[in-house]
Amino acid sequence: MLFDDRADAGRQLSLRLKYLDEEDAVVVGLPRGGVPVAYEVAVGLGAPLDVIVVRKLGVPHQPELAFGAVSEDGIVVIDNGIVTRARLTVHEMAEVERHERQQLVRRTALLRSTHPRISLCGRTVIVVDDGVATGATIRAACQDAQARGARRIVLAVPVVPRAVLPLLAGDVDETVCLASPSWFGAVGRWYGRFDQVSDAEVADLLRRAAGHLPAPPTAAADDPPLRNEPVRVITRGVVLDGYLTVPEHPLGLVVFVHGSGSSRHSPRNRYVAEVLNRAGLGTLLVDLLTLEEETDRSRVFDIGLLSRRLVDITVWLSRRSDVDLRIGYFGAGTGGAAALRAAADPAVRISAVVSQGGRPDLAGPQLDDVTAPTMLIVGGDDEGVLALNRRAMQAMTCETALTEVPGATHLFAEPGALEKVAAIARTWFVNQLSPSEVAQQLAREQGGYGPGGDSRDRLDESFAPRRVRPRRLLLQNRRRSEFREDKQ
């Protein structure tokens, strides 16, 4: 036994983490057992306390052994070694994931009803649990925090097996643990008391932690969002769910089109949407497939179906009396192809497109019909997709730019990469969707792209993380006559 109980472990961790008390930090605990530990750390550091809800994916015949985990924002981590040793089938894994996702939705709704999420963007995030066994749940939580824009991730746990420590290194910037035994057994054996923690206890600890901190600043009463609500769109007999946010005095509205394996709850898309909202842009995050359809791989990659539904959603949006704005598309992965094909449809008028790690080649011959100014953002280490985007850019006849983010892979999970994507998208959409006088003023102030301006001007660099400085390949395609490379 190393710790009397979870509170004792948290107080000991807090002392080890004192060097972080000057940081802009957020402590996040993993419900349920990690929250009593995280509470003591948060109080000791004077930092806000939040949770990242994660569900373990247990081997069916041995539920305590995790073959993976899934987070509240849909991050999934799979331990292929355990999958192989347990001889799990795809059907078995899918059934476990389906069940755990249902539990995840229930628990997340329960906690978030009284404790809204705390922004992690640009902050040091201290991820806390009561211990680590296989590492699946803690890795899912750390990846979730990273996707939400954390600047630095510190993993803080009382006890972790020595053999597991190297497996965690790729998901965290730093690990602080009080013990790393070579023989582990189970987390509970290291505690004198290791009682079950209830959801009510978690909610109570979150309320108590909030009482140690000053109330967060609130928005001015005369400047609330015009719309901040879930919506449902009925298209050709199918009900599609989305979330619409329209800030006061909006400059334009961006519809998000996610890729395969994602949803409107995607932490990456939600982070980018928050950046756009703060810039005065409305957003609609929407699922183009129902839950049942998402299990059918043929539909997931049916670009024609996805683009038709996106067109229907855009028509529905443009007919709303409260949304009289220029519309743009932000597409990721296969969603980039659907966005471009929909933008080419004469039934809608799209003013700008941003494709993040997209597959524009899948848009087919309609790519040549796109007239909306298009920004292609690709990770520098995503070589295959980068080559496809370069070829697609040559085929497009509209104003097109390609931005390569060095060191970034397909999901832009590297530190600072997603922040750069959000900054590039913000500049592009504000300039293309804003009324011309607003865009021209922004272009003068920031040197960005603006309607009627020269797209060879540089992008705004003021928001770029120091470790991510992109090399840009820019192409003005209206006459297919100019090509230049900007070198940093």
Side-chain angles (χ1 to χ4, degrees):
M1 180 187 75
L2 288 174
F3 315 106
D4 294 336
D5 53 20
R6 291 182 176 90
D8 176 42
R11 286 190 288 269
Q12 292 190 45
L13 265 180
S14 176
L15 294 175
R16 288 281 298 273
L17 293 165
K18 274 296 184 183
Y19 67 97
L20 295 174
D21 60 5
E22 296 297 322
E23 295 261 351
D24 179 18
V26 178
V27 179
V28 295
L30 273 64
R32 290 173 287 190
V35 176
V37 185
Y39 170 81
E40 298 294 338
V41 173
V43 170
L45 297 179
L49 174 65
D50 200 1
V51 294
I52 293 179
V53 187
V54 179
R55 292 289 295 184
K56 175 174 62 180
L57 304 177
V59 174
H61 56 274
Q62 192 179 352
E64 288 304 309
L65 177 62
F67 69 83
V70 57
S71 79
E72 64 179 287
D73 285 318
I75 300 293
V76 178
V77 171
I78 299 296
D79 187 325
N80 292 320
I82 292 179
V83 169
T84 300
R85 290 197 298 273
R87 299 181 180 179
L88 297 178
T89 65
V90 173
H91 174 73
E92 289 173 327
M93 294 169 63
E95 187 62 23
V96 171
E97 184 175 339
R98 182 193 63 79
H99 172 74
E100 294 302 333
R101 282 184 181 273
Q102 291 175 347
Q103 297 301 313
L104 189 66
V105 169
R106 181 194 66 80
R107 181 165 293 170
T108 301
L110 179 66
L111 290 173
R112 294 304 181 197
S113 65
T114 58
H115 186 80
R117 290 160 65 113
I118 295 174
S119 174
L120 306 183
C121 180
R123 307 174 82 172
T124 294
V125 178
I126 305 171
V127 181
V128 180
D129 204 356
D130 55 8
V132 174
T134 65
T137 54
I138 205 76
R139 289 182 59 210
C142 291
Q143 290 181 25
D144 192 299
Q146 186 181 67
R148 286 168 58 184
R151 180 182 65 84
R152 177 186 180 196
I153 297 177
V154 178
L155 172 61
V157 288
V159 59
V160 56
R162 189 171 302 167
V164 173
L165 281 171
L167 305 179
L168 307 176
D171 297 307
V172 302
D173 297 296
E174 185 177 352
T175 300
V176 175
C177 65
L178 303 177
S180 54
S182 55
W183 185 87
F184 187 76
V187 173
R189 75 178 297 273
W190 303 96
Y191 288 82
R193 291 183 55 196
F194 198 67
D195 301 332
Q196 288 284 342
V197 179
S198 68
D199 287 329
E201 289 176 89
V202 170
D204 180 62
L205 288 170
L206 290 171
R207 284 193 295 269
R208 287 165 56 190
H212 284 271
L213 300 168
T218 56
D222 60 348
D223 194 28
L226 291 176
R227 291 286 181 273
N228 192 30
E229 61 194 16
V231 295
R232 284 194 160 183
V233 184
I234 301 176
T235 169
R236 308 178 195 227
V238 177
V239 179
L240 303 176
D241 290 311
Y243 201 91
L244 177 65
T245 301
V246 183
E248 186 76 9
H249 309 302
L251 303 176
L253 192 140
V254 179
V255 181
F256 280 66
V257 193
H258 60 74
S260 60
S262 186
S263 75
R264 69 186 186 281
H265 302 299
S266 160
R268 295 175 176 83
N269 283 347
R270 284 165 57 176
Y271 167 70
V272 176
E274 289 173 4
V275 172
L276 300 186
N277 294 154
R278 290 196 295 270
L281 293 162
T283 54
L284 173 63
L285 283 78
V286 63
D287 293 335
L288 297 181
L289 297 175
T290 65
L291 288 175
E292 294 75 18
E293 290 174 331
E294 287 176 355
T295 62
D296 184 345
R297 300 297 287 176
S298 65
R299 286 183 175 267
V300 170
F301 293 97
D302 187 342
I303 305 302
L305 171 66
L306 300 177
S307 62
R308 285 194 299 273
R309 289 186 176 176
L310 180 56
V311 168
D312 291 344
I313 290 169
T314 307
V315 171
W316 167 84
L317 194 61
S318 62
R319 288 175 177 170
R320 287 179 62 116
S321 59
D322 56 341
V323 181
D324 183 17
L325 301 166
R326 293 181 180 177
I327 295 175
Y329 290 154
F330 180 92
T334 51
L340 287 166
R341 185 178 291 193
D345 195 300
V348 295
R349 183 177 180 181
I350 302 304
S351 299
V353 177
V354 172
S355 170
Q356 173 206 327
R359 291 288 308 276
D361 56 300
L362 297 179
Q366 289 87 346
L367 196 62
D368 191 56
D369 297 329
V370 178
T371 59
T374 299
M375 168 64 75
L376 306 174
I377 309 173
V378 189
D381 287 353
D382 194 7
E383 296 179 358
V385 173
L386 181 57
L388 292 171
N389 275 261
R390 285 173 173 161
R391 285 200 292 270
M393 188 171 64
Q394 297 286 357
M396 298 177 72
T397 57
C398 61
E399 177 186 350
T400 311
L402 186 150
T403 299
E404 177 187 336
V405 180
T409 52
H410 190 58
L411 295 179
F412 296 86
E414 294 72 23
L418 191 63
E419 292 169 292
K420 187 57 186 176
V421 169
I424 295 168
R426 173 186 55 197
T427 301
W428 190 258
F429 282 129
V430 167
N431 282 326
Q432 301 293 348
L433 301 184
S434 301
S436 59
E437 62 275 10
V438 175
Q440 289 169 4
Q441 179 180 353
L442 184 71
R444 287 194 299 270
E445 293 175 352
Q446 298 184 345
Y449 293 96
D454 187 349
S455 72
R456 293 171 295 172
D457 291 341
R458 65 175 181 86
L459 276 172
D460 172 26
E461 293 284 342
S462 61
F463 304 98
R466 291 183 179 179
R467 288 192 290 174
V468 181
R469 295 187 62 79
R471 174 172 63 85
R472 292 180 298 279
L473 302 176
L474 307 177
L475 179 65
Q476 175 75 32
N477 264 339
R478 287 195 176 116
R479 294 190 179 92
R480 295 190 182 185
S481 60
E482 297 182 14
F483 178 85
R484 68 179 283 216
E485 179 177 347
D486 284 355
K487 295 183 179 179
Q488 301 283 336

PDB file of all heavy atoms in Angstrom, residues 163-193:
ATOM      1  N   ALA A 163       6.429  -0.870 -17.297  1.00  0.00           N
ATOM      2  CA  ALA A 163       6.407  -1.283 -18.701  1.00  0.00           C
ATOM      3  C   ALA A 163       5.461  -0.441 -19.543  1.00  0.00           C
ATOM      4  O   ALA A 163       5.590  -0.387 -20.769  1.00  0.00           O
ATOM      5  CB  ALA A 163       6.017  -2.758 -18.806  1.00  0.00           C
ATOM      6  N   VAL A 164       4.500   0.224 -18.902  1.00  0.00           N
ATOM      7  CA  VAL A 164       3.505   1.008 -19.647  1.00  0.00           C
ATOM      8  C   VAL A 164       4.001   2.423 -19.929  1.00  0.00           C
ATOM      9  O   VAL A 164       3.573   3.055 -20.895  1.00  0.00           O
ATOM     10  CB  VAL A 164       2.173   1.038 -18.868  1.00  0.00           C
ATOM     11  CG1 VAL A 164       1.166   1.980 -19.516  1.00  0.00           C
ATOM     12  CG2 VAL A 164       1.585  -0.367 -18.792  1.00  0.00           C
ATOM     13  N   LEU A 165       4.919   2.917 -19.115  1.00  0.00           N
ATOM     14  CA  LEU A 165       5.389   4.300 -19.269  1.00  0.00           C
ATOM     15  C   LEU A 165       5.829   4.635 -20.695  1.00  0.00           C
ATOM     16  O   LEU A 165       5.445   5.689 -21.225  1.00  0.00           O
ATOM     17  CB  LEU A 165       6.519   4.593 -18.285  1.00  0.00           C
ATOM     18  CG  LEU A 165       6.089   4.898 -16.844  1.00  0.00           C
ATOM     19  CD1 LEU A 165       7.307   4.963 -15.926  1.00  0.00           C
ATOM     20  CD2 LEU A 165       5.315   6.210 -16.788  1.00  0.00           C
ATOM     21  N   PRO A 166       6.621   3.784 -21.364  1.00  0.00           N
ATOM     22  CA  PRO A 166       7.034   4.132 -22.734  1.00  0.00           C
ATOM     23  C   PRO A 166       5.866   4.234 -23.702  1.00  0.00           C
ATOM     24  O   PRO A 166       5.943   4.966 -24.696  1.00  0.00           O
ATOM     25  CB  PRO A 166       7.983   2.995 -23.132  1.00  0.00           C
ATOM     26  CG  PRO A 166       8.439   2.398 -21.836  1.00  0.00           C
ATOM     27  CD  PRO A 166       7.283   2.545 -20.899  1.00  0.00           C
ATOM     28  N   LEU A 167       4.767   3.504 -23.434  1.00  0.00           N
ATOM     29  CA  LEU A 167       3.608   3.532 -24.332  1.00  0.00           C
ATOM     30  C   LEU A 167       2.873   4.859 -24.259  1.00  0.00           C
ATOM     31  O   LEU A 167       2.126   5.210 -25.174  1.00  0.00           O
ATOM     32  CB  LEU A 167       2.644   2.391 -23.972  1.00  0.00           C
ATOM     33  CG  LEU A 167       3.235   0.973 -23.958  1.00  0.00           C
ATOM     34  CD1 LEU A 167       2.163  -0.028 -23.562  1.00  0.00           C
ATOM     35  CD2 LEU A 167       3.818   0.622 -25.319  1.00  0.00           C
ATOM     36  N   LEU A 168       3.070   5.599 -23.174  1.00  0.00           N
ATOM     37  CA  LEU A 168       2.359   6.865 -22.979  1.00  0.00           C
ATOM     38  C   LEU A 168       3.126   8.061 -23.529  1.00  0.00           C
ATOM     39  O   LEU A 168       2.564   9.140 -23.694  1.00  0.00           O
ATOM     40  CB  LEU A 168       2.094   7.085 -21.489  1.00  0.00           C
ATOM     41  CG  LEU A 168       1.394   5.942 -20.740  1.00  0.00           C
ATOM     42  CD1 LEU A 168       1.305   6.272 -19.258  1.00  0.00           C
ATOM     43  CD2 LEU A 168       0.016   5.692 -21.320  1.00  0.00           C
ATOM     44  N   ALA A 169       4.410   7.855 -23.813  1.00  0.00           N
ATOM     45  CA  ALA A 169       5.283   8.979 -24.159  1.00  0.00           C
ATOM     46  C   ALA A 169       4.812   9.738 -25.390  1.00  0.00           C
ATOM     47  O   ALA A 169       4.969  10.964 -25.474  1.00  0.00           O
ATOM     48  CB  ALA A 169       6.713   8.484 -24.355  1.00  0.00           C
ATOM     49  N   GLY A 170       4.224   9.047 -26.356  1.00  0.00           N
ATOM     50  CA  GLY A 170       3.817   9.713 -27.592  1.00  0.00           C
ATOM     51  C   GLY A 170       2.599  10.600 -27.454  1.00  0.00           C
ATOM     52  O   GLY A 170       2.304  11.396 -28.347  1.00  0.00           O
ATOM     53  N   ASP A 171       1.865  10.484 -26.348  1.00  0.00           N
ATOM     54  CA  ASP A 171       0.624  11.239 -26.176  1.00  0.00           C
ATOM     55  C   ASP A 171       0.736  12.365 -25.163  1.00  0.00           C
ATOM     56  O   ASP A 171      -0.237  13.103 -24.955  1.00  0.00           O
ATOM     57  CB  ASP A 171      -0.512  10.301 -25.756  1.00  0.00           C
ATOM     58  CG  ASP A 171      -0.825   9.264 -26.813  1.00  0.00           C
ATOM     59  OD1 ASP A 171      -1.061   9.659 -27.972  1.00  0.00           O
ATOM     60  OD2 ASP A 171      -0.818   8.069 -26.493  1.00  0.00           O
ATOM     61  N   VAL A 172       1.886  12.489 -24.489  1.00  0.00           N
ATOM     62  CA  VAL A 172       2.040  13.511 -23.459  1.00  0.00           C
ATOM     63  C   VAL A 172       3.370  14.229 -23.642  1.00  0.00           C
ATOM     64  O   VAL A 172       4.296  13.717 -24.274  1.00  0.00           O
ATOM     65  CB  VAL A 172       1.966  12.912 -22.034  1.00  0.00           C
ATOM     66  CG1 VAL A 172       0.639  12.191 -21.830  1.00  0.00           C
ATOM     67  CG2 VAL A 172       3.121  11.963 -21.778  1.00  0.00           C
ATOM     68  N   ASP A 173       3.443  15.428 -23.080  1.00  0.00           N
ATOM     69  CA  ASP A 173       4.705  16.167 -23.077  1.00  0.00           C
ATOM     70  C   ASP A 173       5.540  15.837 -21.854  1.00  0.00           C
ATOM     71  O   ASP A 173       6.767  15.976 -21.874  1.00  0.00           O
ATOM     72  CB  ASP A 173       4.419  17.682 -23.119  1.00  0.00           C
ATOM     73  CG  ASP A 173       3.714  18.086 -24.398  1.00  0.00           C
ATOM     74  OD1 ASP A 173       4.316  17.945 -25.469  1.00  0.00           O
ATOM     75  OD2 ASP A 173       2.554  18.533 -24.311  1.00  0.00           O
ATOM     76  N   GLU A 174       4.875  15.402 -20.796  1.00  0.00           N
ATOM     77  CA  GLU A 174       5.578  15.131 -19.547  1.00  0.00           C
ATOM     78  C   GLU A 174       4.737  14.197 -18.696  1.00  0.00           C
ATOM     79  O   GLU A 174       3.503  14.268 -18.716  1.00  0.00           O
ATOM     80  CB  GLU A 174       5.828  16.454 -18.810  1.00  0.00           C
ATOM     81  CG  GLU A 174       6.657  16.348 -17.560  1.00  0.00           C
ATOM     82  CD  GLU A 174       6.892  17.731 -16.958  1.00  0.00           C
ATOM     83  OE1 GLU A 174       6.538  18.733 -17.613  1.00  0.00           O
ATOM     84  OE2 GLU A 174       7.418  17.785 -15.837  1.00  0.00           O
ATOM     85  N   THR A 175       5.385  13.307 -17.948  1.00  0.00           N
ATOM     86  CA  THR A 175       4.685  12.403 -17.038  1.00  0.00           C
ATOM     87  C   THR A 175       5.222  12.583 -15.630  1.00  0.00           C
ATOM     88  O   THR A 175       6.437  12.594 -15.412  1.00  0.00           O
ATOM     89  CB  THR A 175       4.865  10.929 -17.463  1.00  0.00           C
ATOM     90  OG1 THR A 175       4.329  10.751 -18.778  1.00  0.00           O
ATOM     91  CG2 THR A 175       4.150   9.992 -16.501  1.00  0.00           C
ATOM     92  N   VAL A 176       4.300  12.731 -14.677  1.00  0.00           N
ATOM     93  CA  VAL A 176       4.658  12.796 -13.263  1.00  0.00           C
ATOM     94  C   VAL A 176       3.931  11.654 -12.563  1.00  0.00           C
ATOM     95  O   VAL A 176       2.693  11.611 -12.561  1.00  0.00           O
ATOM     96  CB  VAL A 176       4.252  14.146 -12.632  1.00  0.00           C
ATOM     97  CG1 VAL A 176       4.522  14.129 -11.126  1.00  0.00           C
ATOM     98  CG2 VAL A 176       4.986  15.292 -13.304  1.00  0.00           C
ATOM     99  N   CYS A 177       4.678  10.702 -12.022  1.00  0.00           N
ATOM    100  CA  CYS A 177       4.063   9.607 -11.286  1.00  0.00           C
ATOM    101  C   CYS A 177       4.825   9.395  -9.984  1.00  0.00           C
ATOM    102  O   CYS A 177       6.028   9.652  -9.901  1.00  0.00           O
ATOM    103  CB  CYS A 177       4.013   8.325 -12.108  1.00  0.00           C
ATOM    104  SG  CYS A 177       5.610   7.620 -12.514  1.00  0.00           S
ATOM    105  N   LEU A 178       4.103   8.954  -8.963  1.00  0.00           N
ATOM    106  CA  LEU A 178       4.694   8.765  -7.647  1.00  0.00           C
ATOM    107  C   LEU A 178       5.332   7.394  -7.501  1.00  0.00           C
ATOM    108  O   LEU A 178       6.214   7.209  -6.668  1.00  0.00           O
ATOM    109  CB  LEU A 178       3.637   8.972  -6.558  1.00  0.00           C
ATOM    110  CG  LEU A 178       2.948  10.343  -6.584  1.00  0.00           C
ATOM    111  CD1 LEU A 178       1.869  10.419  -5.506  1.00  0.00           C
ATOM    112  CD2 LEU A 178       3.957  11.465  -6.400  1.00  0.00           C
ATOM    113  N   ALA A 179       4.892   6.430  -8.293  1.00  0.00           N
ATOM    114  CA  ALA A 179       5.461   5.076  -8.229  1.00  0.00           C
ATOM    115  C   ALA A 179       5.284   4.403  -9.572  1.00  0.00           C
ATOM    116  O   ALA A 179       4.238   4.536 -10.222  1.00  0.00           O
ATOM    117  CB  ALA A 179       4.788   4.260  -7.132  1.00  0.00           C
ATOM    118  N   SER A 180       6.303   3.657 -10.005  1.00  0.00           N
ATOM    119  CA  SER A 180       6.232   2.907 -11.263  1.00  0.00           C
ATOM    120  C   SER A 180       6.812   1.516 -11.030  1.00  0.00           C
ATOM    121  O   SER A 180       7.931   1.211 -11.457  1.00  0.00           O
ATOM    122  CB  SER A 180       6.987   3.639 -12.383  1.00  0.00           C
ATOM    123  OG  SER A 180       8.319   3.918 -11.970  1.00  0.00           O
ATOM    124  N   PRO A 181       6.059   0.651 -10.333  1.00  0.00           N
ATOM    125  CA  PRO A 181       6.565  -0.693  -9.999  1.00  0.00           C
ATOM    126  C   PRO A 181       6.694  -1.575 -11.231  1.00  0.00           C
ATOM    127  O   PRO A 181       5.940  -1.442 -12.200  1.00  0.00           O
ATOM    128  CB  PRO A 181       5.511  -1.232  -9.043  1.00  0.00           C
ATOM    129  CG  PRO A 181       4.259  -0.494  -9.424  1.00  0.00           C
ATOM    130  CD  PRO A 181       4.694   0.874  -9.835  1.00  0.00           C
ATOM    131  N   SER A 182       7.636  -2.484 -11.190  1.00  0.00           N
ATOM    132  CA  SER A 182       7.796  -3.437 -12.290  1.00  0.00           C
ATOM    133  C   SER A 182       6.720  -4.514 -12.220  1.00  0.00           C
ATOM    134  O   SER A 182       6.282  -5.032 -13.247  1.00  0.00           O
ATOM    135  CB  SER A 182       9.188  -4.069 -12.242  1.00  0.00           C
ATOM    136  OG  SER A 182       9.415  -4.652 -10.976  1.00  0.00           O
ATOM    137  N   TRP A 183       6.312  -4.888 -11.001  1.00  0.00           N
ATOM    138  CA  TRP A 183       5.164  -5.797 -10.865  1.00  0.00           C
ATOM    139  C   TRP A 183       3.989  -4.980 -10.373  1.00  0.00           C
ATOM    140  O   TRP A 183       4.070  -4.296  -9.352  1.00  0.00           O
ATOM    141  CB  TRP A 183       5.470  -6.912  -9.867  1.00  0.00           C
ATOM    142  CG  TRP A 183       4.347  -7.913  -9.802  1.00  0.00           C
ATOM    143  CD1 TRP A 183       4.175  -8.998 -10.595  1.00  0.00           C
ATOM    144  CD2 TRP A 183       3.222  -7.884  -8.908  1.00  0.00           C
ATOM    145  NE1 TRP A 183       3.020  -9.660 -10.254  1.00  0.00           N
ATOM    146  CE2 TRP A 183       2.401  -8.994  -9.221  1.00  0.00           C
ATOM    147  CE3 TRP A 183       2.820  -7.022  -7.882  1.00  0.00           C
ATOM    148  CZ2 TRP A 183       1.219  -9.280  -8.547  1.00  0.00           C
ATOM    149  CZ3 TRP A 183       1.626  -7.295  -7.215  1.00  0.00           C
ATOM    150  CH2 TRP A 183       0.841  -8.413  -7.549  1.00  0.00           C
ATOM    151  N   PHE A 184       2.878  -5.042 -11.074  1.00  0.00           N
ATOM    152  CA  PHE A 184       1.803  -4.090 -10.824  1.00  0.00           C
ATOM    153  C   PHE A 184       0.566  -4.719 -10.190  1.00  0.00           C
ATOM    154  O   PHE A 184       0.087  -4.263  -9.172  1.00  0.00           O
ATOM    155  CB  PHE A 184       1.417  -3.402 -12.142  1.00  0.00           C
ATOM    156  CG  PHE A 184       0.430  -2.279 -11.962  1.00  0.00           C
ATOM    157  CD1 PHE A 184       0.852  -1.058 -11.460  1.00  0.00           C
ATOM    158  CD2 PHE A 184      -0.902  -2.437 -12.286  1.00  0.00           C
ATOM    159  CE1 PHE A 184      -0.045  -0.008 -11.277  1.00  0.00           C
ATOM    160  CE2 PHE A 184      -1.803  -1.401 -12.125  1.00  0.00           C
ATOM    161  CZ  PHE A 184      -1.377  -0.186 -11.617  1.00  0.00           C
ATOM    162  N   GLY A 185       0.021  -5.748 -10.796  1.00  0.00           N
ATOM    163  CA  GLY A 185      -1.223  -6.332 -10.313  1.00  0.00           C
ATOM    164  C   GLY A 185      -2.411  -5.510 -10.765  1.00  0.00           C
ATOM    165  O   GLY A 185      -2.775  -5.521 -11.933  1.00  0.00           O
ATOM    166  N   ALA A 186      -3.010  -4.757  -9.836  1.00  0.00           N
ATOM    167  CA  ALA A 186      -4.156  -3.903 -10.158  1.00  0.00           C
ATOM    168  C   ALA A 186      -3.992  -2.576  -9.425  1.00  0.00           C
ATOM    169  O   ALA A 186      -3.284  -2.484  -8.418  1.00  0.00           O
ATOM    170  CB  ALA A 186      -5.465  -4.573  -9.758  1.00  0.00           C
ATOM    171  N   VAL A 187      -4.690  -1.530  -9.912  1.00  0.00           N
ATOM    172  CA  VAL A 187      -4.563  -0.213  -9.305  1.00  0.00           C
ATOM    173  C   VAL A 187      -4.953  -0.247  -7.830  1.00  0.00           C
ATOM    174  O   VAL A 187      -4.278   0.336  -6.964  1.00  0.00           O
ATOM    175  CB  VAL A 187      -5.425   0.817 -10.066  1.00  0.00           C
ATOM    176  CG1 VAL A 187      -5.437   2.162  -9.339  1.00  0.00           C
ATOM    177  CG2 VAL A 187      -4.911   1.000 -11.494  1.00  0.00           C
ATOM    178  N   GLY A 188      -6.032  -0.942  -7.518  1.00  0.00           N
ATOM    179  CA  GLY A 188      -6.562  -0.934  -6.165  1.00  0.00           C
ATOM    180  C   GLY A 188      -5.616  -1.457  -5.106  1.00  0.00           C
ATOM    181  O   GLY A 188      -5.731  -1.072  -3.933  1.00  0.00           O
ATOM    182  N   ARG A 189      -4.686  -2.320  -5.475  1.00  0.00           N
ATOM    183  CA  ARG A 189      -3.800  -2.906  -4.465  1.00  0.00           C
ATOM    184  C   ARG A 189      -2.834  -1.882  -3.879  1.00  0.00           C
ATOM    185  O   ARG A 189      -2.204  -2.135  -2.852  1.00  0.00           O
ATOM    186  CB  ARG A 189      -3.028  -4.089  -5.060  1.00  0.00           C
ATOM    187  CG  ARG A 189      -1.907  -3.712  -5.991  1.00  0.00           C
ATOM    188  CD  ARG A 189      -1.163  -4.945  -6.494  1.00  0.00           C
ATOM    189  NE  ARG A 189      -0.518  -5.673  -5.426  1.00  0.00           N
ATOM    190  CZ  ARG A 189       0.701  -5.414  -4.960  1.00  0.00           C
ATOM    191  NH1 ARG A 189       1.394  -4.425  -5.490  1.00  0.00           N
ATOM    192  NH2 ARG A 189       1.223  -6.113  -3.985  1.00  0.00           N
ATOM    193  N   TRP A 190      -2.698  -0.715  -4.499  1.00  0.00           N
ATOM    194  CA  TRP A 190      -1.782   0.311  -4.019  1.00  0.00           C
ATOM    195  C   TRP A 190      -2.464   1.295  -3.077  1.00  0.00           C
ATOM    196  O   TRP A 190      -1.837   2.275  -2.639  1.00  0.00           O
ATOM    197  CB  TRP A 190      -1.155   1.035  -5.197  1.00  0.00           C
ATOM    198  CG  TRP A 190      -0.435   0.083  -6.121  1.00  0.00           C
ATOM    199  CD1 TRP A 190      -0.925  -0.478  -7.263  1.00  0.00           C
ATOM    200  CD2 TRP A 190       0.862  -0.459  -5.934  1.00  0.00           C
ATOM    201  NE1 TRP A 190      -0.005  -1.334  -7.805  1.00  0.00           N
ATOM    202  CE2 TRP A 190       1.114  -1.348  -7.012  1.00  0.00           C
ATOM    203  CE3 TRP A 190       1.855  -0.293  -4.967  1.00  0.00           C
ATOM    204  CZ2 TRP A 190       2.288  -2.053  -7.155  1.00  0.00           C
ATOM    205  CZ3 TRP A 190       3.045  -0.993  -5.095  1.00  0.00           C
ATOM    206  CH2 TRP A 190       3.254  -1.859  -6.185  1.00  0.00           C
ATOM    207  N   TYR A 191      -3.748   1.051  -2.788  1.00  0.00           N
ATOM    208  CA  TYR A 191      -4.527   1.931  -1.914  1.00  0.00           C
ATOM    209  C   TYR A 191      -5.023   1.164  -0.687  1.00  0.00           C
ATOM    210  O   TYR A 191      -5.416  -0.001  -0.791  1.00  0.00           O
ATOM    211  CB  TYR A 191      -5.744   2.492  -2.662  1.00  0.00           C
ATOM    212  CG  TYR A 191      -5.417   3.531  -3.711  1.00  0.00           C
ATOM    213  CD1 TYR A 191      -4.997   3.159  -4.990  1.00  0.00           C
ATOM    214  CD2 TYR A 191      -5.544   4.884  -3.430  1.00  0.00           C
ATOM    215  CE1 TYR A 191      -4.700   4.108  -5.952  1.00  0.00           C
ATOM    216  CE2 TYR A 191      -5.264   5.842  -4.393  1.00  0.00           C
ATOM    217  CZ  TYR A 191      -4.838   5.447  -5.649  1.00  0.00           C
ATOM    218  OH  TYR A 191      -4.548   6.400  -6.601  1.00  0.00           O
ATOM    219  N   GLY A 192      -5.038   1.882   0.494  1.00  0.00           N
ATOM    220  CA  GLY A 192      -5.649   1.301   1.674  1.00  0.00           C
ATOM    221  C   GLY A 192      -7.157   1.227   1.524  1.00  0.00           C
ATOM    222  O   GLY A 192      -7.786   0.236   1.887  1.00  0.00           O
ATOM    223  N   ARG A 193      -7.756   2.301   0.991  1.00  0.00           N
ATOM    224  CA  ARG A 193      -9.196   2.330   0.694  1.00  0.00           C
ATOM    225  C   ARG A 193      -9.351   2.650  -0.780  1.00  0.00           C
ATOM    226  O   ARG A 193      -8.777   3.615  -1.282  1.00  0.00           O
ATOM    227  CB  ARG A 193      -9.900   3.403   1.533  1.00  0.00           C
ATOM    228  CG  ARG A 193      -9.976   3.099   3.021  1.00  0.00           C
ATOM    229  CD  ARG A 193     -10.766   4.189   3.721  1.00  0.00           C
ATOM    230  NE  ARG A 193     -12.087   4.358   3.115  1.00  0.00           N
ATOM    231  CZ  ARG A 193     -12.850   5.437   3.329  1.00  0.00           C
ATOM    232  NH1 ARG A 193     -12.425   6.426   4.085  1.00  0.00           N
ATOM    233  NH2 ARG A 193     -14.048   5.521   2.763  1.00  0.00           N
TER     234      ARG A 193
END
